[in-house]
Amino acid sequence: MTGALGDLRVVEMGQLLAGPFCGQLLGDFGAEVVKIEPPGSGDPMREWGREKPHGMSLWWPILARNKKSVTLNLRAPEGQALAREIIARADVLVENFRPGTLERWGLAPAELHKENPGLIITRVTGYGQDGPYAPRAGFGSIGEAMGGIRYVTGDPDKPPSRAGISLGDELAGTFAALGTLVALHARHRTGRGQIVDSALYEAVLALMESLVPEWEIAGYQRERTGSVLPNIAPSNVYPTLDGPVLIAANRDTIWRRLAALMGRPELADDERYATHGARGANAEELDDLIGAWTAGQSSDALLELLHENGIPAGLTYRAKDMLADPHYKAREAIIRMAHPEFGDFPMHNVFPKLSGTPGEVRTLGPSLGQHNTEVYGGLLGLSPDEITALEAAGTI
């Protein structure tokens, strides 16, 4: 048993990102994750990514880390029967097909629970398992738009923007993992499994703070505001001699320290800036004052000064900055694993950190069907001849 979840077996179905990200999170903390992939092709994530050295994805080794890959044709009755056998021996099933797909394959939750009453069935979709939109195809970008985050992201004079990552998918996967752990905790009391229904748009909606009551109760529509949040000041990016620095001094006590550091202590008592509300109302002119002070300093000198005086500040990191940062190194935020083609392979570590049962990256993403013999032979007890026959028939 390795890790806090080392006594759990998770079967991961589906492909691309949201469901597999849930599987990655569970695997990071020790769960045995058996990933089922179509024979011959596998998960399309094996081919995804902007850069593909050696013609291979740099994303796959991360998303599929700590997983076992087996191939299985879920569209064939023989494959569905094998899937039922694997699932009967599992604690969790994670899937991200359209609603109704499992049911068409004879793998409906009610049927699976007959054989495995304690099974947690985690279902990740664009719109959830019910409601008028449930049958629609749902991708992360659509969930981000419907959940509200796209509308408020970007500059006010430009169309809605997006984060440069698959935010909606990964949020849905994160909430799916959270729901899975909650359901497992409940199983300790009841002995029964249940369905976890994680929808992309709802995972995004969960981040939207007070956006809904602001509209209905206060009549306020949040709009795109670029690098600032309305009424939160000073909190912005400010110029220096060699690049911008982020400063977040919107709390009264911190603002007072910043004003003194600027040589303008009287600003802290100025009625335009003395309170949180006043600073928010006069944010632009306050940002101009701070920008005029920062512009003549180097970023390193400014940051050292701000840190010494307890004022939150920092740089906007790129990958190369992360790799060079001493705090990243001290906390092992980025680790390195040996990859057969790429060699030294850097990736983010497992988060959050646990003092007693920390997570761990044990293996990188596996080759397609790498664990067929282990799972079909070891877990299900099939003979080598039976496995060979299944391969010949295209079932695995």
Side-chain angles (χ1 to χ4, degrees), residues 1 11 31-32 37 59 76 90 97 105 144 149 182 195 209 214 221 228 275 301 340 350 357 367 379 386 395:
M1 186 185 300
V11 175
E32 177 192 16
E37 302 183 71
W59 200 343
F97 302 114
W105 291 343
E144 292 167 22
I149 201 165
V182 172
I195 297 170
E209 302 172 346
E214 284 173 4
Q221 170 65 55
V228 300
T275 66
V350 177
T357 55
S367 59
L379 181 63
E386 289 175 311
T395 304

Side-chain angles (χ1 to χ4, degrees), residues 9 11 20 22 38 55 57 64 120 154 165 183 206 231 239 259 290 295 315 351 375 383 392:
R9 177 175 293 127
V11 175
C22 173
S57 169
I120 309 301
I165 56 171
N231 302 317
I290 297 171
L315 301 175
F351 313 122
V375 173
S383 69

Side-chain angles (χ1 to χ4, degrees), residues 10 24 29 45 61 111 135 158 161 174 204 210 217-218 228 240 253 256 266 282 289 292-293 297 354 361 366 374 386:
V10 176
Q24 178 203 313
F29 287 98
M45 288 302 300
E111 294 301 313
K158 295 179 181 178
S161 187
T174 301
V204 174
S210 56
I217 296 174
V228 300
T240 72
T253 54
R256 186 169 292 276
E266 74 280 0
N282 296 283
L289 287 171
W293 174 68
Q297 305 179 60
L354 275 64
V361 181
E374 177 183 335
E386 289 175 311

Side-chain angles (χ1 to χ4, degrees), residues 155-393:
D155 293 317
D157 59 342
K158 295 179 181 178
S161 187
R162 67 165 295 167
I165 56 171
S166 301
L167 185 63
D169 286 293
E170 288 162 354
L171 281 173
T174 301
F175 276 94
L178 171 62
T180 299
L181 296 177
V182 172
L184 286 165
H185 183 76
R187 190 178 72 175
H188 288 306
R189 298 196 309 271
T190 67
R192 304 290 301 181
Q194 59 181 297
I195 297 170
V196 177
D197 182 356
S198 179
L200 277 161
Y201 85 96
E202 290 168 349
V204 174
L205 176 62
L207 265 66
M208 297 312 296
E209 302 172 346
S210 56
L211 179 142
V212 172
E214 284 173 4
W215 168 252
E216 180 161 310
I217 296 174
Y220 174 73
Q221 170 65 55
R222 284 203 194 189
E223 300 289 345
R224 293 178 291 287
T225 55
S227 62
V228 300
L229 287 175
N231 302 317
I232 307 296
S235 184
N236 207 339
V237 180
Y238 300 95
T240 72
L241 293 172
D242 56 347
V245 167
L246 284 161
I247 302 176
N250 45 289
R251 186 175 174 181
D252 288 351
T253 54
I254 299 174
W255 158 238
R256 186 169 292 276
R257 291 200 295 270
L258 178 59
L261 195 61
M262 293 168 58
R264 302 287 303 276
E266 74 280 0
L267 292 177
D269 297 314
D270 189 311
E271 64 179 10
R272 295 170 297 172
Y273 316 123
T275 66
H276 178 81
R279 289 193 298 278
N282 296 283
E284 290 188 16
E285 59 188 69
L286 182 56
D287 281 344
D288 289 341
L289 287 171
I290 297 171
W293 174 68
T294 63
Q297 305 179 60
S298 71
S299 59
D300 285 346
L302 175 61
L303 284 169
E304 184 175 355
L305 189 63
L306 293 167
H307 295 325
E308 287 176 351
N309 287 271
I311 298 169
L315 301 175
T316 303
Y317 276 16
R318 299 157 294 180
K320 67 178 183 179
D321 304 309
M322 299 173 188
L323 289 165
D325 187 273
H327 192 77
Y328 269 72
K329 291 178 181 177
R331 286 183 55 84
E332 298 182 326
I334 293 175
I335 59 170
R336 296 179 179 274
M337 301 281 287
H339 189 280
E341 280 78 28
F342 299 128
D344 195 35
F345 193 96
M347 65 169 68
H348 58 271
N349 208 340
V350 177
F351 313 122
K353 294 175 177 287
L354 275 64
S355 62
T357 55
E360 178 186 11
V361 181
R362 303 176 300 282
T363 61
L364 298 178
S367 59
L368 183 62
Q370 179 177 329
H371 300 91
N372 278 2
T373 299
E374 177 183 335
V375 173
Y376 294 124
L379 181 63
L380 300 190
L382 299 182
S383 69
D385 288 342
E386 289 175 311
I387 294 174
T388 300
L390 290 168
E391 290 174 345

Side-chain angles (χ1 to χ4, degrees), residues 11 13-14 36 72-88 93 95 97 100-115 119 121 123 129 195:
V11 175
M13 292 181 178
I36 294 177
L72 186 60
N73 183 1
L74 292 171
R75 290 169 173 77
E78 298 82 3
Q80 294 157 9
L82 282 173
R84 289 180 74 123
E85 290 192 51
I86 298 173
I87 295 167
L93 169 63
E95 63 96 2
F97 302 114
T101 301
L102 288 187
E103 288 77 0
R104 289 196 303 273
W105 291 343
L107 302 173
E111 294 301 313
L112 297 177
H113 278 144
K114 288 179 182 178
E115 300 176 20
L119 181 69
I121 304 174
R123 315 189 76 173
Q129 295 298 312
I195 297 170

